[in-house]
């Protein structure tokens, strides 16, 4: 019998969240398509730092820590599987996170105990052993030895090739312009090249998700927060740990390149870079790792994080439209929360037992207009 609906599930957005979600739904036996307005993996997924931990994890709500914890456990196997499926190495590196700012040590220790995470308070002497290149004086630092990182553009490429090799349909350069409804049920999406029918639709459109969903009469507060980043062409060994000092961090990649980030700017959908951010991030780089001043700046870019209230993503059925789901609003932690978010969303689509309590991520029918703006 010919099936009248070509896809069981259609995912709008080929970023990390959309591609991971598509992979999960495919693994469950569904015929899946990803529809992307540009090329896959080119937005926040490309621009991010790839640290596999929230920056000061004790400052985040449980809802964020729960997704991060699940994903951290899943990442080693997932990355190995992706490398196998795609032939692309996402450069997973577990080189630890050293936090050298004036954090609250009691809060940090309480978090580590509660979430059973390796965290050591270390003095200046130990800090120098861990990171001889550090340029700032430290009294007490937090050392999280198990924190890892991935190289975002490579993770994006690995996911894309994996989808191709698994047989998931990926339609690029195809912006979704609207939804096709029959009464209160979604039956597909509209694009400039016509409608695409699907049994279920997942909005995983990053910072654009709020705008896309606006037309359905429910304001979903997901909005862009710009982050600018620098890349230095350094050499292996110049810096070896991920370093965090207040809002500024340094991420050493395996080949010696070093990322320095990142700003937080509410400037709408504007991805331009600024001279102010360049000067400020350069100064932060030279302060944290003075040796970086001797290496060329290779690139300066900006990306748009999908901001949401308290940084808690929406992983949820739409409260009014049957068959429509949302997986968006991962803000600063989309890489570290991605695998759990994708698995949870697939659980909800399929009606399976959820891996985590879905209630903190649920879209309610009447979002309080006074609730915090994306932050
Ligand atoms: C500077 C910076 C540093 C970061 N560092 C980290 C970090 O260290 N660790 C971490 O965990 N997270 C980090 N993040 C956050 C992380 O990158 C994001 O949370 C994550 O990439 C979000 O993925 P996404 O798939 O939701 O969004 P995106 O990657 O933006 O993907 C959304 C996709 O949807 C597509 N789309 C939009 N509208 C439509 C439409 N109408 N039709 C079809 N397609 C559409 C877009 O083109 C895009 O490809 C960082 C982000 C930035 C910007």
């Amino acid at each position: 019998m010919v099936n009248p609906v070509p896809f069981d599930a259609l995912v709008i957005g080929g970023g990390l969240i959309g591609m991971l979600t598509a992979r999960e739904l495919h693994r469950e036996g569904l015929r899946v398509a990803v529809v992307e307005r540009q090329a896959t993996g080119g937005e926040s997924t490309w621009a991010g730092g790839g640290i596999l931990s929230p920056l000061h994890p004790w400052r985040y709500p449980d809802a964020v820590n729960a997704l991060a914890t699940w994903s951290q456990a899943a990442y080693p196997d997932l990355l190995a599987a992706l490398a196998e499926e795609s032939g692309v190495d996402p450069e997973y590196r577990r080189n630890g996170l050293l936090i050298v700012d004036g954090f609250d040590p009691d809060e940090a220790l309480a978090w580590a105990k509660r979430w059973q995470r390796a965290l050591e308070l270390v003095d200046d002497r130990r800090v120098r052993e861990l990171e001889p290149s550090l340029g700032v004086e430290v009294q007490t630092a937090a050392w999280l030895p198990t924190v890892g990182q991935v190289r975002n553009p490579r993770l994006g490429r690995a996911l894309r090739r994996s989808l191709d090799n698994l047989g998931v349909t990926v339609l690029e350069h195809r912006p979704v312009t609207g939804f096709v409804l029959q009464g209160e049920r979604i039956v597909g999406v509209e694009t400039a090249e016509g409608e695409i029918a699907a049994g279920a639709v997942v909005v995983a459109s990053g910072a654009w998700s709020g705008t896309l969903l606006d037309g359905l009469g429910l304001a979903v507060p997901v909005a862009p927060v710009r982050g600018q980043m620098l890349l230095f062409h350094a050499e292996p060994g110049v810096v070896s740990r991920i370093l965090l000092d207040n809002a500024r961090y340094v991420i050493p990649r395996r080949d010696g390149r070093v990322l320095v980030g990142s700003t937080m700017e509410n400037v709408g959908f504007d991805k331009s870079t600024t001279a102010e951010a360049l000067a400020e991030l350069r100064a932060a780089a030279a302060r944290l790792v003075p040796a970086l001043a001797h290496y060329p700046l290779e690139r300066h870019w900006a990306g748009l994080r999908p901001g949401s209230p308290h940084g808690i993503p929406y992983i949820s059925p739409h409260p009014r439209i049957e068959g429509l789901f949302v997986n968006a609003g991962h803000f600063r932690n989309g890489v570290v929360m991605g695998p759990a978010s994708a698995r949870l969303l697939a659980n909800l689509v399929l009606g399976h037992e959820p891996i985590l309590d879905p209630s903190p991520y649920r879209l309610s029918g009447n979002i309080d207009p006074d609730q915090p703006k994306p932050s």
Side-chain angles (χ1 to χ4, degrees), residues 5 7-11 30 185-187 198-202 323-325 349:
V5 178
F7 301 112
D8 300 314
L10 182 150
V11 179
L30 269 53
R185 176 161 185 81
I186 195 154
V187 293
V201 172
V202 182
L324 180 60
F325 295 82
V349 170

Side-chain angles (χ1 to χ4, degrees), residues 12-18 35-53 55 152 174-177 204-208 212 225-229 249 251 262 301-306 327-337:
I12 309 173
L16 172 83
I17 299 298
V35 185
E36 164 58 50
R37 73 188 165 120
Q38 313 172 132
T40 54
E43 290 289 353
S44 196
T45 292
W46 184 91
I51 303 171
L52 297 181
S53 170
L55 289 178
N152 295 40
R174 193 83 73 95
V176 168
T177 50
S205 315
W208 296 265
L212 191 57
V225 180
R226 184 168 74 186
Q228 298 190 46
M229 193 85 101
Y249 53 77
I251 309 171
S262 180
W301 67 83
L304 300 176
R305 306 177 185 91
N327 197 358
H330 294 75
F331 190 35
R332 306 192 80 175
N333 293 304
V335 186
V336 62
M337 296 193 292

Side-chain angles (χ1 to χ4, degrees), residues 67-116:
L67 291 169
T69 301
W70 194 97
S71 298
Q72 283 160 340
Y75 252 120
D77 285 351
L78 171 65
L79 292 168
L82 284 176
E84 172 89 25
E85 286 160 16
S86 68
V88 178
D89 177 4
E91 292 197 6
Y92 176 52
R93 198 178 176 205
R94 220 164 129 165
N95 50 339
L97 170 65
L98 192 57
I99 304 180
V100 299
D101 52 44
F103 62 92
D104 178 342
D106 293 335
E107 212 188 333
L109 286 174
W111 168 85
K113 190 169 173 205
R114 172 147 179 253
W115 292 93
Q116 300 191 320

